[in-house]
Amino acid sequence: MKESIFNLIQFKIADSVVLDLFAGSGAFGAECISRGAEKVYFVDQVQKAIDTIKINTKNMTEDFEIIKSNYLDFLNQARLKGLKFDIVYLDPPYETDFAITAINKLVELSLLNEDSTIIVEHKYPNDLINLPKCCIVEKSKKYGIAYVDVISYKN
C-alpha cells in the first residue's frame, strides 16, 4: 500500500514540507526524508510512537521534528508558527472522525500551500463525505480493510 502511495506522489516529495500526523512508527515521514523532502514533522500523542519514531530516525541527518502532541493542539500551534505543508499524511485510529476533523482544521487554519496533497488512510468509504469544497479526491483505492484517498487542495 505504501509503495502505491509513493508512486502517486513521487514527484511532489522533493523539497516539500511534510506533515506525518498520527505518525505511529513514522514510516511515511521517514520515506519522505529519504526521497528528498525539505522538512518532515512527525506528530503523535502516544509516547510509544514517539519512541519508535526516534529509533527509526536516529541515523537521519535531514531536517525533521518529532512532536508529542494531540493533533488539534499541534495544528493550532502550527498556525501560530506560520507553518504550511505541501504533503499531509493522515492515518488516525479508524473508529474516529479525526481524519475529517484534521482536514477541516488544516483548511480553516490555512496550513496548506496551494496544490498541497493530503493522503488519508481510513476504514469506511464514507468517512470523508464532508470534505471542504477546496479538497478534491483525486484517487481512492481499497487495500485490505483500509481505504486510501489522495486529495488535492485547491484554494
Side-chain angles (χ1 to χ4, degrees):
M1 174 171 56
K2 297 274 194 270
E3 185 177 331
S4 295
I5 292 169
F6 282 106
N7 287 338
L8 293 171
I9 64 167
Q10 64 185 329
F11 299 113
K12 295 181 177 198
I13 298 171
D15 302 320
S16 64
V17 177
V18 177
L19 172 58
D20 190 350
L21 200 58
F22 313 101
S25 68
F28 181 85
E31 184 66 23
C32 287
I33 289 171
S34 74
R35 292 176 183 237
E38 179 181 315
K39 181 152 188 168
V40 174
Y41 293 86
F42 296 93
V43 179
D44 206 297
Q45 70 178 2
V46 177
Q47 186 60 49
K48 185 174 181 178
I50 296 298
D51 295 341
T52 301
I53 296 165
K54 287 178 181 176
I55 291 166
N56 291 340
T57 58
K58 74 177 182 179
N59 295 324
M60 295 182 175
T61 58
E62 290 77 2
D63 197 5
F64 63 89
E65 287 185 40
I66 302 169
I67 300 129
K68 182 180 180 194
S69 176
N70 168 280
Y71 75 104
L72 290 174
D73 292 341
F74 171 78
L75 294 175
N76 287 315
Q77 288 300 311
R79 180 176 187 214
L80 294 174
K81 293 178 181 178
L83 299 178
K84 291 215 178 225
F85 306 103
D86 301 300
I87 298 172
V88 177
Y89 182 71
L90 303 173
D91 184 10
Y94 284 164
E95 302 297 330
T96 68
D97 65 350
F98 295 171
I100 192 67
T101 301
I103 292 168
N104 283 313
K105 246 339 169 184
L106 286 159
V107 170
E108 174 191 326
L109 298 175
S110 299
L111 295 174
L112 300 169
N113 286 316
E114 185 66 29
D115 294 323
S116 289
T117 300
I118 304 167
I119 299 107
V120 185
E121 282 192 43
H122 57 98
K123 186 171 183 180
Y124 301 108
N126 63 348
D127 282 341
L128 304 178
I129 59 171
N130 294 318
L131 282 174
K133 290 183 178 36
C134 55
C135 294
I136 301 152
V137 177
E138 299 288 341
K139 179 117 176 137
S140 184
K141 186 157 179 159
K142 186 171 184 185
Y143 296 92
I145 65 162
Y147 288 87
V148 175
D149 289 358
V150 177
I151 301 166
S152 292
Y153 171 75
K154 307 285 186 201
N155 191 5

